[in-house]
Amino acid sequence: MPITADSVQVGDAISVGGRTLIVADLCRLPGGAGKMVRFHSGERLTLHPRSALVATRIGPPPVRSYRRRGAER
């Protein structure tokens, strides 16, 4: 399925340069410049808002646990 910076999710398998990389983390860039994608292999890719890549989405994104800043441990 085609994905863009707006539709990429953690857990997506993206083909880049003949390699399949799994998305580990996402970071929105300031000013609407797209997203920084970090893969499990440690590599990073910047997706421009108009970039389109082919990805495989096997299931829902993994559940991530969040902790509020300043919350008791």
Side-chain angles (χ1 to χ4, degrees):
M1 74 187 286
I3 61 162
T4 63
D6 289 335
S7 64
V8 66
Q9 296 179 4
V10 172
D12 284 351
I14 299 176
S15 293
V16 178
R19 297 177 54 203
T20 300
L21 303 167
I22 308 297
V23 176
D25 196 20
L26 299 167
C27 178
R28 188 172 304 276
L29 298 174
K35 286 187 182 172
M36 174 70 70
V37 179
R38 187 177 59 81
F39 298 103
H40 281 286
S41 61
E43 293 154 315
R44 296 174 191 256
L45 175 71
T46 301
L47 286 178
H48 187 274
R50 292 179 297 217
S51 298
L53 298 172
V54 176
T56 302
R57 190 168 290 155
I58 299 171
V63 176
R64 296 176 62 180
S65 60
Y66 292 95
R67 187 178 61 176
R68 290 184 182 190
R69 288 185 182 185
E72 295 285 326
R73 290 188 180 181

